[in-house]
Amino acid sequence: MTQATAAMNQLSDRINNMQESATIKMAKMSRELKAQGKDIIDLSLGEPDFDTPQHIKDAAKEAIDKGFTKYTPVPGYPELRKAIVTKLKRDNNLDYTIDEIVVSTGAKQSIANVVMALINPGDEVLLPAPYWVSYAAIAELAEGKCVEIPTGIESNFKVTAEQLEKHITENTKMIIFSSPCNPTGSVYSREELAAIAKVVAKHPNLYVLCDEIYEYINFTGEKHTSLAEFAEVKEQVITVNGFSKGFAMTGWRLGYIGAPKWIASACDKMQGQITSGTCSIAQKAGEAALLTSLQPTFDMVTEFKKRRDLVYGLLTEIPGLKVNLPDGAFYFFFDVSAYFGKSFNGKAMNTPEDLSLFLLAEGNLACVSGEAFGDKNCLRISYATSEAKLTEACKRMKEALAKLA
Ligand code: PMP
Ligand code: GLU
């Protein structure tokens, strides 16, 4: 028995059965290759390349100077929760009270809190696929049974209300989805969400976790719609949001939910035993982000849109790829199945994972395989990086793929 196998035997089944986050794994691999001196372009991790706006950083500095350095209430400072209530009314026309808000160490923890608080072993969790990697891992940690609802590039990777309804059984407890969507960039329209709300309302014991972390990064020109705006489902919806994407604050670790009070209280209880309130300084920065000018956010979005258009032009020039124009977030999720069956140096490409490893080795380009998102045909790239890097990345992809025969 190797030392590694012996150690695995000591670990819990829970951790042995858990998949490592594919986004984080790919980012780690490319960091290691960079450290070895390789010129890798890393489009794996979805993280804005912009700096956190100055006025937000200033608020954090002030928080330190004013002594906001102690434990905070577990669900967050009342001032921050009040700012979130104001934001949810201002941007989303949602009425929440302060005790329906729980602030966490990133939206990732918010999602984990909600799933742990609501899912019992065997409960079915519906995941319109492709979905963000951590939804499935978190649901499985809670011993839920993930049920994927497949979509395709032809339908812009969106699930219809009818498809959703067909998958609901008496064991279905939760639906988890994001709009704008990671990994596809798709945005559900108000009409599509209205139809989904009608279906959900028919099942009062069904809960919907709506991940709106990409809310501001929306190029449709239409106002973002939250599912919780539909009164018939408000009591069944948990709205998840955060600061990582819209305010370029990934490292600050700040996310939140708006939810019916009994769910918020359960998340508060869960968090009280695991992490307590998130960083006091980050909370003060978050308050400033929500209550002051959103102009830096809008400027970032303008830049993302320029990059999206650039990358769309470049990807559509690569033979064999099927590419949709994403409406939001900062990802392209494109179909590479035309390359399945082709080979390089005797190694056949049969999956997106094969292609992502080939692109890393032969093209010095890191992207994430669709399999981690519940899709067998696509690769994901993040375009949250400079135009120069994006242009070079697409060139590398085109040249590497052309080597496959
Ligand atoms: N949801 C989605 C769809 C995401 O892409 C991310 C980014 N990691 C998160 C949640 C978590 O964000 P964070 O924990 O950084 O707030
Ligand atoms: N949301 C980002 C992504 O999907 C960050 C990585 C992560 O937290 O998984 O790449």
Side-chain angles (χ1 to χ4, degrees):
M1 198 189 288
T2 65
Q3 208 180 358
T5 322
M8 285 277 282
N9 288 343
Q10 293 302 318
L11 292 171
S12 67
D13 295 343
R14 187 181 306 113
I15 196 72
N16 278 334
N17 292 336
M18 184 192 258
Q19 295 287 329
E20 183 181 357
S21 162
T23 48
I24 287 175
K25 182 173 153 193
M26 215 48 199
K28 205 156 80 182
M29 270 170 84
S30 63
R31 262 187 221 128
E32 280 163 13
L33 290 170
K34 276 190 206 168
Q36 290 165 21
K38 282 220 171 183
D39 164 34
I40 303 290
I41 298 186
D42 183 5
L43 305 185
S44 64
L45 199 67
E47 146 159 273
D49 55 324
F50 300 107
D51 203 6
T52 303
Q54 189 58 45
H55 67 283
I56 300 176
K57 291 197 224 174
D58 290 342
K61 289 181 193 162
E62 195 183 319
I64 296 175
D65 290 340
K66 288 195 170 161
F68 287 100
T69 53
K70 307 280 194 224
Y71 284 136
T72 76
V74 171
Y77 282 127
E79 295 79 5
L80 173 58
R81 282 182 286 146
K82 233 196 262 162
I84 292 169
V85 166
T86 304
K87 178 260 176 250
L88 289 169
K89 184 67 187 169
R90 177 192 71 199
D91 296 348
N92 312 103
N93 198 25
L94 294 176
D95 290 300
Y96 283 109
T97 55
I98 178 170
D99 51 6
E100 293 175 317
I101 307 295
V102 178
V103 179
S104 298
T105 306
K108 202 179 256 186
Q109 189 189 19
S110 303
I111 296 164
N113 281 342
V114 172
V115 171
M116 292 297 169
L118 286 177
I119 296 301
N120 271 321
D123 284 347
E124 289 175 10
V125 178
L126 294 185
L127 299 175
Y131 46 81
W132 182 48
V133 280
S134 295
Y135 297 159
I138 293 171
E140 282 164 8
L141 194 60
E143 297 179 56
K145 182 172 163 235
C146 292
V147 178
E148 294 183 8
I149 311 179
T151 67
I153 198 162
E154 302 73 24
S155 62
N156 234 336
F157 299 109
K158 287 195 273 188
V159 77
T160 62
E162 294 74 43
Q163 273 174 299
L164 200 62
E165 187 151 35
K166 274 197 207 130
H167 285 81
I168 297 174
T169 72
E170 57 183 16
N171 297 321
T172 310
K173 186 73 182 278
M174 193 183 282
I175 303 167
I176 310 182
F177 78 108
S178 59
S179 176
C181 176
N182 177 3
T184 64
S186 299
V187 176
Y188 281 84
S189 69
R190 193 165 190 87
E191 294 66 38
E192 288 163 342
L193 289 173
I196 288 173
K198 268 203 188 124
V199 170
V200 171
K202 286 193 225 163
H203 303 272
N205 296 325
L206 175 63
Y207 297 89
V208 191
L209 189 157
C210 295
D211 184 344
E212 306 192 349
I213 195 160
Y214 294 95
E215 168 188 4
Y216 295 125
I217 309 169
N218 179 340
F219 317 122
T220 60
E222 290 178 16
K223 200 187 132 330
H224 171 83
T225 304
S226 295
L227 191 67
E229 282 179 70
F230 300 94
E232 69 267 38
V233 290
K234 171 94 189 302
E235 293 305 306
Q236 292 167 264
V237 174
I238 301 99
T239 304
V240 172
N241 211 324
F243 296 77
S244 287
K245 317 295 168 170
F247 300 100
M249 289 176 70
T250 46
W252 298 74
R253 311 309 303 128
L254 207 55
Y256 59 90
I257 58 163
K261 188 165 175 245
W262 62 276
I263 298 178
S265 301
C267 291
D268 180 350
K269 180 175 167 189
M270 171 69 62
Q271 188 161 294
Q273 291 288 27
I274 296 187
T275 55
S276 290
T278 192
C279 169
S280 56
I281 300 150
Q283 289 188 45
K284 285 290 163 191
E287 193 185 328
L290 293 180
L291 296 183
T292 50
S293 168
L294 289 181
Q295 196 53 47
T297 299
F298 299 143
D299 293 345
M300 288 188 250
V301 174
T302 305
E303 202 52 41
F304 283 136
K305 183 158 186 271
K306 267 182 19 207
R307 295 169 181 184
R308 176 201 67 167
D309 294 342
L310 169 77
V311 175
Y312 183 66
L314 294 169
L315 286 181
T316 48
E317 275 173 14
I318 302 179
L321 301 188
K322 267 194 246 165
V323 189
N324 277 7
L325 184 68
D327 279 328
F330 39 61
Y331 305 101
F332 274 87
F333 198 70
F334 49 97
D335 187 310
V336 288
S337 58
Y339 288 92
F340 294 168
K342 297 197 179 200
S343 310
F344 179 74
N345 280 350
K347 165 87 180 100
M349 303 291 131
N350 295 319
T351 63
E353 169 99 13
D354 292 341
L355 280 160
S356 73
L357 294 174
F358 164 75
L359 287 172
L360 188 61
E362 288 304 316
N364 283 346
L365 175 64
C367 39
V368 188
S369 161
E371 284 143 306
F373 304 96
D375 181 284
K376 290 187 172 57
N377 296 317
C378 296
L379 286 180
R380 188 192 82 170
I381 57 169
S382 156
Y383 58 88
T385 191
S386 70
E387 291 189 17
K389 276 201 187 148
L390 291 168
T391 306
E392 173 62 18
C394 292
K395 180 167 163 269
R396 289 183 187 186
M397 190 185 308
K398 188 174 183 179
E399 287 172 2
L401 290 176
K403 294 184 192 168
L404 294 170

